[in-house]
Amino acid sequence: MVKDVLLRKGLREIKENIKQYITVIIIAILAVSLFTGIYANWQDFKYKVNHIYELSNMADGIVLTNSSNEEITNYLASENIDYEERLYLNGIINSKNVLAATFNDNSTISKPAYMSVETLTSDMVLVDENFLIRNELEIGDTFIFNIPEISLFNQTFTDVNLEFIISGTMTHPEALDNSEYQASFIYIGEKAIANSLSLYTNNLINTDTVLALLPSLYNQILIKSPNITNIIEYISSNYDNLFALSRANLPSNLNIESDIDQAKKLLYIFPVIFYLVALLIILTSISELINKEQKNIGLLKALGYSNLEILTHYTNIFIILCIIGSIIGMIIGPLIIPPIMNQKYNILYQLPPISTPFFRPFYLISVILLIIIVYLTAILALHNILKKVPASSIRGDNSYHMKKTLFDRLPTKKDHFLTLKMALRNMKRKISRTLMVIFGVMGCSALLLCGFGIEDTLDNSINTELRLIPYDVGLSYNTNESKLQELMTIEEIKDVDEYNKTQVNILKAKMISSYLYILSENSKIFVPKYNEDSCLISSKVAKEIGAKAGDQITFIYNQVAYEITITEVIDISFSQGIFISSANGIINLLPNNCWIRLNDQTKQDLVLEKALELEGINYGMTIDSLKLQAEDRLSSIRIMTNTVKIFAILLAIVVLYNLALLNFKERIKDIATLKVLGFTLKEIAFSFLLEIVILTVFASLIGLALGYPLMYAVLVINENPLLSYIYKIDFSSYLYTVLLTTVFGIVVNVIMSTFVRKVEMVESLKAVD
C-alpha cells in the first residue's frame, strides 16, 4: 500500500515536471555518450594495435649495435631470454628514405601480422600498401634499393644499388605509421638480399657465401621478455651499443604508442566538464523539487513514512531518468565518437579493419557516477527539511528575507529600472540556481572558445610554416647532386635554395625518428638566421627529446652517431627536425631537395611542370598543393573541433533551458501578481530576458579565461606527429563565443516567455503559502 501511494505520487510528479525531467535525461545522454564514446575510442584503438602486436609476436625491446655483438647475445642466452638477431638497413628508394629489416626461415619475432602471401620464405620481399602507393608500384614490380655502404670480406662497397622484386604486401608492427614523417619499411628475406648482393658483385661472391656472411653484419637484437625494462637498463649500462629501447620508445612505434596514451587522456577533459554540469543541473533540479515538495514531505512524515523511504522516493525519480539517459548515451557514444576519431587514425596509421567489442562493462561506471551524483545531491537537498518536525514542514517557509541593495535605494523616475530590479532580485533570491547557470554557461563558453581556438591554432601553424619558409615550389631529386644550374635556366624562377633532407634518429633524454636538414651556406628562402656553427632544432623535436638551446644532442645516420650542440629552438610546424649549415662539415651529404621562389606566384604549376621534365628530378609540389595537403592532414582535428562545438552548443541549450524552466515555474505567482497590477506581457518577459542576458554575458566572460588552457590541454593530448602546434586564439573567436552563448540564452528565454500569457491569475494566486 505504502509503495503504491509513493508510486502514484511519483508518476504524478513526472507528469507535472516532464519538461524539466527531459533536460535531466538529455544532460545524462551528453555526459554518458562522451564518457563511453571516448572510452570506446581508446579501447578500440588500443585493441587494434595490441592485436597486431600479438599476431606478429612483436619484440618487447630492440638493441641496435654496430655489428653482431656476442657479449650481449651471450648474456641473453645465459639468462634464458628469448631473442633473435637481424640486419637493419637505412636506404633510399626513388629519393625517399626507406628502412629495411631482414628475416630468415627461422624468424619468429616481429613478423608481419597480415600478409598477402600464404607462406613466407626468406627469398621474398614484402612491403606495405602505403609503400606501393607512394612509389606507384604493384606486386611483382621491381625496385632499386640504394644503400650508402655495406662491408663484405673486409671490403666496403659504397652507393650500392640492390634490385628486388615485390613478393606481396603486409601489415608490420614496425610500419604502422602512415605519415610522410616516417620512412617506408620493407621486409627482406636473407636469401633475397643475398641474391641481390651476389648480382651486384657480378657473381664474384655467390649467394651461399653472402648468406654465410650476413650473421656477422647483424646490427639489431630483438628481445621478447615481460621483464624488458630491467633487461634494457642492464644492457645499456654494461654493454657497448648505439641504443637499447623498449617497444613503446622505438622510433617506429613512438607515435602510435603516444596516441594510445593520448586517447586515454581525453577521458580526463570533456567528460569531466559534462559531469560537473550534470551535477549542477541535477542538484538544482532536485533542490527545486524538494523545496516545492516540503509540505508534501511533512505530510508523508506525519503519515509515518521514514526518512529513508522519503529519500528513496525522490531519488528514484532521478535515478530512473539518469538510467534512461545512460542507456541512450551508452548506445550513441560508441556509435558516433570512435568513427569520428578513426578518421584521424586512418590518416596517420595503417590499421586493417578489425572488429572490436561494442559493449564494455566499464561503461557502467558512467551510470554509477550519475547515481552517486543523484544520491549525494538528494541527501544534501533533503537534509534540512527532513530534520524538521511534520508541522513545521507543512506550515512551509516560502518567504525570502533580503536586505535592500544600493541599487534598490536609488531613486528612479517612474521606476524605469523596475525590470532590472526584478531580475537582480530574482538572481539574489535563488543563489544556487544562479551559480548553476554561471558554472554551466562558463563551461559551455570555455568549450566553444576551445573549439574556435583549435581552428585558430591550426591556421596559425600553417601560416607560421609558410612565413619561415616562403617558397612557391618544392622539388625532390633522384640522386644526391646539385640541380641548381639546370633549374636557373627556367625563366620564371627567381631563387633556388638547395638542401639535403635525410631521416635520422635524434637522441638526448630519449630517441625519436625525425629529419636532418643540411641547408645551403647562404639561404635565400629559409628565414631563421644561422651560420656554419648553428644547429637549429624545431620546438616539437626539442620537447620530445628533452633538449634546449645549449644542450648537446646525438643524431644517428647510417648506424653512425654524430654529436652536435643546439644553438636555437625555433617554432615551426611541418618541417620537423634539426637544421645545420652545409658549411658545418659534421656530415657531408649532397642536396636532394630544393625550395624555389618565383617572380610570379601564379605560374607555380607551369614551373613545376618544367622542373619535372629535367633529368634527376622525380617529385615536386607547389605551395598551393602543400596547403591542400595540410588541410587533408588536419581534417580529422577539425572534425573533432566541430564535435566539441556541437556538444558545447547542446550543453548550453540544456543548461539555459533548464534555468528558464525553473525560473518560470518558481515565478508563476510573481507573474500572476504583475499581470494583476497591470504590467504588460512584454514588460514581464523582458525581466526574464534581462536576467538571462546578465548571467550569460557574465558567465561567458569568465569562461573565456578557461578557453585557452582547455584548448592547450586538448591539443597537447591530441598531438599530431605531422606538425607542431603554434598556439593562438584570435580576438574574433572570443567575440563569437560571447555572442553565441548570449544568443542561445536570448532565444531560449524568448521561447519560454511565450508561456507568460498562459499563466492563470486566479489559479496561481489562490494557493495559501
Side-chain angles (χ1 to χ4, degrees):
M1 180 66 181
V2 170
K3 292 183 179 180
D4 291 340
V5 172
L6 291 179
L7 177 61
R8 289 195 298 272
K9 186 177 184 302
L11 293 174
R12 186 170 64 251
E13 289 167 0
I14 291 175
K15 183 179 179 180
E16 291 174 355
N17 301 283
I18 186 66
K19 292 179 181 178
Q20 188 176 339
Y21 290 161
I22 286 175
T23 63
V24 176
I25 293 175
I26 293 174
I27 192 63
I29 291 172
L30 291 175
V32 172
S33 62
L34 263 181
F35 181 92
T36 56
I38 292 175
Y39 181 82
N41 171 67
W42 167 45
Q43 287 293 306
D44 288 353
F45 187 33
K46 181 181 177 183
Y47 179 87
K48 290 177 181 179
V49 174
N50 287 340
H51 184 67
I52 292 173
Y53 286 168
E54 184 178 347
L55 287 178
S56 64
N57 194 31
M58 173 68 169
D60 295 312
I62 293 180
V63 179
L64 178 63
T65 61
N66 286 314
S67 60
S68 183
N69 192 311
E70 290 188 7
E71 288 186 344
I72 298 177
T73 55
N74 288 339
Y75 156 72
L76 295 172
S78 66
E79 297 292 326
N80 293 320
I81 298 170
D82 189 15
Y83 75 93
E84 288 179 6
E85 292 185 273
R86 71 180 183 185
L87 176 61
Y88 198 73
L89 298 169
N90 291 61
I92 296 174
I93 298 176
N94 293 331
S95 74
K96 298 182 181 69
N97 291 291
V98 176
L99 303 173
T102 63
F103 68 95
N104 54 49
D105 292 331
N106 298 318
S107 298
T108 59
I109 301 177
S110 292
K111 295 182 66 175
Y114 296 93
M115 298 178 290
S116 62
V117 296
E118 292 184 5
T119 304
L120 182 63
T121 58
S122 63
D123 59 350
M124 292 182 174
V125 176
L126 299 185
V127 300
D128 55 37
E129 292 287 348
N130 190 45
F131 177 87
L132 296 180
I133 294 170
R134 286 184 185 180
N135 295 281
E136 298 181 354
L137 296 172
E138 296 179 354
I139 295 174
D141 287 351
T142 300
F143 65 89
I144 303 297
F145 183 44
N146 178 267
I147 303 174
E149 64 177 43
I150 191 169
S151 297
L152 293 171
F153 283 120
N154 295 322
Q155 181 179 355
T156 299
F157 297 90
T158 59
D159 198 26
V160 179
N161 289 316
L162 301 180
E163 186 176 300
F164 295 105
I165 298 174
I166 300 173
S167 307
T169 58
M170 64 171 180
T171 298
H172 197 278
E174 295 173 65
L176 298 178
D177 200 317
N178 196 37
S179 67
E180 293 182 8
Y181 184 79
Q182 292 288 342
S184 296
F185 180 87
I186 57 178
Y187 200 54
I188 305 176
E190 291 187 359
K191 287 184 180 178
I193 199 169
N195 286 331
S196 188
L197 280 169
S198 180
L199 289 173
Y200 177 78
T201 61
N202 295 319
N203 296 319
L204 293 176
I205 308 175
N206 62 43
T207 300
D208 292 337
T209 303
V210 175
L211 276 174
L213 290 172
L214 280 180
S216 65
L217 301 179
Y218 289 158
N219 55 12
Q220 274 196 354
I221 304 171
L222 311 179
I223 303 173
K224 284 291 295 182
S225 173
N227 194 30
I228 190 62
T229 302
N230 292 335
I231 295 171
I232 291 295
E233 289 179 358
Y234 183 83
I235 291 175
S236 299
S237 303
N238 293 278
Y239 299 102
D240 183 28
N241 59 85
L242 288 178
F243 66 79
L245 298 171
S246 61
R247 176 199 297 169
N249 294 318
L250 291 175
S252 60
N253 297 76
L254 190 63
N255 290 330
I256 199 166
E257 292 287 343
S258 176
D259 265 352
I260 291 174
D261 186 53
Q262 290 164 9
K264 178 182 178 181
K265 289 178 181 176
L266 280 174
L267 279 170
Y268 309 141
I269 297 184
F270 298 125
V272 171
I273 294 174
F274 277 80
Y275 270 98
L276 288 175
V277 175
L279 171 63
L280 291 170
I281 288 180
I282 293 171
L283 174 61
T284 307
S285 300
I286 290 181
S287 298
E288 295 301 328
L289 176 64
I290 298 304
N291 287 334
K292 189 177 71 173
E293 287 283 306
Q294 63 174 309
K295 294 181 182 180
N296 289 331
I297 292 171
L299 287 171
L300 290 173
K301 290 185 71 175
L303 291 172
Y305 290 93
S306 67
N307 289 346
L308 181 60
E309 287 176 320
I310 296 171
L311 175 65
T312 303
H313 165 70
Y314 287 103
T315 55
N316 281 348
I317 296 173
F318 286 90
I319 287 174
I320 292 171
L321 298 175
C322 289
I323 289 175
I324 292 171
S326 298
I327 292 173
I328 298 173
M330 283 190 289
I331 296 172
I332 292 176
L335 282 177
I336 294 178
I337 294 179
I340 291 174
M341 296 303 294
N342 273 340
Q343 295 185 50
K344 167 189 172 180
Y345 300 139
N346 290 337
I347 291 173
L348 297 179
Y349 305 111
Q350 301 180 75
L351 295 174
I354 301 172
S355 59
T356 56
F358 180 78
F359 176 79
R360 293 180 171 89
F362 193 79
Y363 295 168
L364 298 177
I365 295 293
S366 60
V367 185
I368 294 172
L369 284 174
L370 284 178
I371 292 175
I372 291 173
I373 289 172
V374 169
Y375 266 109
L376 291 178
T377 52
I379 291 171
L380 185 64
L382 282 167
H383 177 68
N384 291 329
I385 295 176
L386 290 177
K387 287 195 304 183
K388 295 180 180 180
V389 296
S392 178
S393 296
I394 293 171
R395 185 170 60 249
D397 183 16
N398 292 326
S399 62
Y400 293 87
H401 305 287
M402 296 186 296
K403 295 180 180 179
K404 285 188 176 183
T405 63
L406 177 63
F407 186 83
D408 292 326
R409 294 189 176 94
L410 289 177
T412 53
K413 186 178 181 180
K414 295 184 180 180
D415 221 353
H416 291 309
F417 292 99
L418 180 60
T419 52
L420 177 59
K421 288 182 178 181
M422 291 170 58
L424 294 174
R425 173 181 174 273
N426 198 51
M427 285 187 278
K428 185 177 179 181
R429 181 183 176 186
K430 288 293 184 180
I431 293 295
S432 61
R433 191 193 61 238
T434 300
L435 290 176
M436 186 275 285
V437 178
I438 290 174
F439 285 117
V441 175
M442 184 175 68
C444 301
S445 62
L447 282 171
L448 268 177
L449 185 60
C450 169
F452 285 123
I454 289 173
E455 287 197 342
D456 293 340
T457 294
L458 297 182
D459 293 336
N460 186 50
S461 300
I462 296 174
N463 293 335
T464 299
E465 174 83 14
L466 303 182
R467 178 176 57 81
L468 293 181
I469 313 178
Y471 65 96
D472 299 310
V473 178
L475 301 175
S476 294
Y477 304 163
N478 276 330
T479 56
N480 290 5
E481 58 179 318
S482 176
K483 307 293 179 186
L484 179 61
Q485 298 300 322
E486 295 94 320
L487 288 170
M488 290 307 296
T489 61
I490 300 176
E491 184 177 352
E492 293 83 1
I493 291 179
K494 179 181 179 181
D495 293 313
V496 176
D497 218 355
E498 292 189 305
Y499 64 97
N500 182 284
K501 178 183 177 182
T502 301
Q503 188 164 40
V504 296
N505 291 327
I506 304 175
L507 173 66
K508 192 181 182 296
K510 70 175 183 179
M511 187 178 70
I512 67 167
S513 178
S514 190
Y515 285 102
L516 167 68
Y517 290 80
I518 304 177
L519 307 173
S520 60
E521 189 171 346
N522 296 300
S523 176
K524 303 181 183 69
I525 297 176
F526 190 78
V527 172
K529 302 298 182 183
Y530 64 92
N531 55 46
E532 65 179 38
D533 298 320
S534 297
C535 175
L536 313 182
I537 185 170
S538 61
S539 56
K540 181 180 180 69
V541 172
K543 180 181 178 181
E544 289 181 349
I545 66 173
K548 61 183 184 301
D551 287 349
Q552 189 175 67
I553 61 171
T554 301
F555 67 87
I556 301 172
Y557 171 70
N558 196 29
Q559 314 302 326
V560 178
Y562 301 86
E563 292 186 347
I564 194 167
T565 301
I566 298 172
T567 56
E568 184 182 354
V569 178
I570 60 173
D571 287 328
I572 194 166
S573 300
F574 294 102
S575 301
Q576 297 299 319
I578 54 179
F579 305 81
I580 64 175
S581 170
S582 56
N584 185 291
I586 187 174
I587 183 172
N588 295 314
L589 296 174
L590 294 174
N592 58 8
N593 287 270
C594 75
W595 296 303
I596 297 174
R597 189 155 51 193
L598 307 179
N599 294 309
D600 184 355
Q601 290 186 333
T602 63
K603 297 183 179 181
Q604 294 177 15
D605 293 329
L606 175 62
V607 171
L608 177 60
E609 184 180 346
K610 290 182 178 180
L612 292 176
E613 292 175 356
L614 298 176
E615 185 179 353
I617 297 178
N618 71 322
Y619 178 77
M621 179 178 290
T622 64
I623 198 66
D624 291 338
S625 298
L626 177 67
K627 290 177 183 178
L628 291 174
Q629 187 183 76
E631 283 300 323
D632 288 340
R633 292 176 175 179
L634 300 174
S635 60
S636 62
I637 302 177
R638 294 194 188 276
I639 290 171
M640 183 195 71
T641 301
N642 292 330
T643 304
V644 171
K645 291 179 183 176
I646 291 171
F647 271 89
I649 290 170
L650 291 174
L651 187 63
I653 292 172
V654 172
V655 170
L656 294 170
Y657 179 81
N658 191 65
L659 160 74
L661 193 59
L662 286 174
N663 205 4
F664 175 77
K665 286 188 174 183
E666 281 182 4
R667 296 176 63 184
I668 286 178
K669 289 186 180 181
D670 291 347
I671 294 169
T673 302
L674 292 171
K675 291 176 75 173
V676 169
L677 293 174
F679 284 84
T680 65
L681 296 178
K682 181 179 179 181
E683 290 173 322
I684 298 172
F686 186 68
S687 69
F688 282 90
L689 191 60
L690 197 57
E691 179 182 347
I692 197 63
V693 169
I694 292 172
L695 288 177
T696 303
V697 172
F698 178 72
S700 297
L701 293 175
I702 299 175
L704 296 182
L706 303 176
Y708 190 96
L710 182 60
M711 175 203 70
Y712 183 83
V714 171
L715 288 178
V716 163
I717 66 172
N718 194 42
E719 287 184 344
N720 191 315
L722 303 174
L723 82 159
S724 175
Y725 299 123
I726 314 298
Y727 299 101
K728 180 184 179 183
I729 299 182
D730 294 332
F731 175 76
S732 59
S733 296
Y734 288 97
L735 184 61
Y736 292 150
T737 299
V738 175
L739 288 177
L740 280 174
T741 49
T742 305
V743 167
F744 294 147
I746 292 173
V747 170
V748 169
N749 274 268
V750 166
I751 295 172
M752 291 301 301
S753 297
T754 60
F755 296 165
V756 171
R757 68 178 68 253
K758 298 179 182 179
V759 174
E760 298 292 339
M761 290 181 285
V762 176
E763 292 297 323
S764 300
L765 292 173
K766 70 180 181 181
V768 179
D769 287 338

